[in-house]
Amino acid sequence: MINEKNHQDVNATTSEKSIHTDFTNNMTYGEYLQLDKILSAQNRLSGHHDEMLFIIIHQVSELWMKLILHEMGAAIESIENNDLSTAQKRLARVSKTQSQIIQAWDVLSTMTPSEYMEFRDSLGQASGFQSYQYRMVEFALGYKTEHVLKIYQKDPELHAKLTEAFEAPGLYDVAIRALHKAGLAIDEEILNRDVTRTYKENDSVREAWMTVYKNPEKYWELYELAEKLVDIEDWLQQWRFRHMKTVERIIGFKMGTGGSSGVGYLKKVLDQRFFPELWDIRTEL
């Protein structure tokens, strides 16, 4: 007896006479996406069932971070070119992507402490702390920590790529310059600051954003840009919080495989701020 569902699938396919079936000389979906490389990159070192979950969650997160860096880089370029509307679209996409990474923690948290301990030793000293794309995200947001570059000295090409990102102006740097271009007063020391240093809040920047928020009609594009920046920091802190709670749920307060204090370190970074004035003015408005 023919399976009813399979019969329906066959009928649906055969009724679409334009569907391509001969790919002898044409590129397939799998070839375009290079699925042979992607789907063969999950190599469990322990053979434990749940290690597959662990690998895939982190690989998917790295792919989303690649998109975030792609969009933030384009947004920085758009702001530098005074195209704030395009920058806003790019940054809106960043926020949506961040929401996907946050949900990944919900999937990983289905793994219990006992299950993780079955293969944790297989990781050696490898740790998410070493994610170079995450460091590049931090650099793009203006949080610069030179000492972390030492982690990547093993790979000269990668180290050079990270150094370039470290030395480049971040998203907030170009946003502040956009305030200046709009005629708002910004201290020269901020406009010419050393972008390899983590940004510190400044009175002139706070006053400029205050002017924007008190006159949204006049400074609409800057106002919208500011809200997109707040979205990104908000989502990043939510990601960090879910990361911290997932780690606490699975390993408690054990030291991280990369040598960090684990949950203790993750709690500390929750206090980091990227766009301080945009949060401060909310109290004053």
Side-chain angles (χ1 to χ4, degrees):
M1 183 174 180
I2 298 176
N3 182 285
E4 184 63 26
K5 182 180 184 301
N6 290 342
H7 185 62
Q8 290 173 350
D9 290 342
V10 170
N11 286 340
T13 302
T14 55
S15 66
E16 296 289 336
K17 300 186 183 301
S18 62
I19 290 178
H20 295 289
T21 57
D22 184 0
F23 288 91
T24 305
N25 299 309
N26 295 297
M27 178 175 62
T28 65
Y29 169 83
E31 289 169 338
Y32 173 68
L33 295 177
Q34 299 186 60
L35 292 181
D36 56 334
K37 295 180 181 179
I38 295 173
L39 299 180
S40 62
Q42 295 74 44
N43 301 310
R44 290 178 291 167
L45 298 180
S46 68
H48 190 275
H49 175 84
D50 287 341
E51 190 180 357
M52 182 66 75
L53 164 67
F54 188 82
I55 292 171
I56 288 176
I57 287 295
H58 287 84
Q59 288 180 338
V60 168
S61 295
E62 290 291 337
L63 284 172
W64 282 131
M65 278 191 277
K66 183 172 184 176
L67 180 59
I68 286 172
L69 289 166
H70 177 69
E71 297 297 343
M72 283 206 297
I76 288 172
E77 184 176 345
S78 295
I79 296 170
E80 290 178 322
N81 292 329
N82 298 318
D83 185 0
L84 299 189
S85 61
T86 298
Q88 290 162 19
K89 179 174 176 58
R90 304 298 187 209
L91 297 178
R93 184 174 292 165
V94 168
S95 294
K96 291 296 184 182
T97 307
Q98 288 175 295
S99 71
Q100 295 299 308
I101 296 183
I102 290 170
Q103 291 179 20
W105 295 121
D106 294 335
V107 183
L108 187 60
S109 65
T110 63
M111 183 171 61
T112 67
S114 298
E115 290 163 344
Y116 180 52
M117 293 311 295
E118 288 290 327
F119 66 86
R120 188 179 191 236
D121 288 345
S122 300
L123 305 180
Q125 294 181 326
S127 165
F129 183 83
Q130 298 145 18
S131 168
Y132 72 86
Q133 288 199 126
Y134 178 71
R135 295 304 170 190
M136 290 178 71
V137 169
E138 285 190 329
F139 293 167
L141 294 177
Y143 185 71
K144 304 292 181 76
T145 47
E146 188 173 12
H147 69 275
V148 301
L149 293 175
K150 295 179 181 179
I151 296 172
Y152 312 100
Q153 288 178 335
K154 177 181 179 179
D155 185 336
E157 185 176 343
L158 176 57
H159 187 267
K161 182 177 181 179
L162 279 153
T163 300
E164 182 181 0
F166 179 79
E167 295 175 348
L171 186 57
Y172 203 42
D173 291 309
V174 296
I176 290 171
R177 291 172 190 171
L179 291 171
H180 176 66
K181 290 176 184 177
L184 296 162
I186 303 294
D187 291 344
E188 285 296 323
E189 65 184 64
I190 295 298
L191 294 173
N192 300 311
R193 80 179 194 89
D194 180 358
V195 297
T196 66
R197 302 287 184 180
T198 296
Y199 176 79
K200 301 295 183 183
E201 50 208 283
N202 173 267
D203 289 342
S204 69
V205 174
R206 186 180 66 253
E207 289 304 315
W209 283 125
M210 182 68 78
T211 299
V212 168
Y213 271 78
K214 286 183 176 180
N215 301 275
E217 295 83 5
K218 181 178 179 180
Y219 299 104
W220 181 254
E221 287 196 322
L222 287 168
Y223 177 76
E224 283 287 284
L225 175 62
E227 285 299 290
K228 294 296 184 292
L229 295 178
V230 170
D231 286 342
I232 287 172
E233 180 165 347
D234 190 350
W235 281 112
L236 184 71
Q237 295 293 44
Q238 290 187 53
W239 180 89
R240 283 174 160 179
F241 180 78
R242 289 295 296 121
H243 183 189
M244 181 268 293
K245 294 307 291 184
T246 302
V247 171
E248 184 177 0
R249 175 173 178 157
I250 295 175
I251 68 167
F253 286 82
K254 293 185 181 72
M255 181 177 288
T257 51
S260 75
S261 59
V263 170
Y265 169 78
L266 297 174
K267 284 185 175 181
K268 288 178 184 177
V269 299
L270 287 172
D271 292 329
Q272 293 171 359
R273 299 202 300 172
F274 299 99
F275 317 128
E277 294 88 358
L278 291 175
W279 295 95
D280 291 342
I281 63 172
R282 282 158 161 73
T283 304
E284 302 172 31
L285 281 168

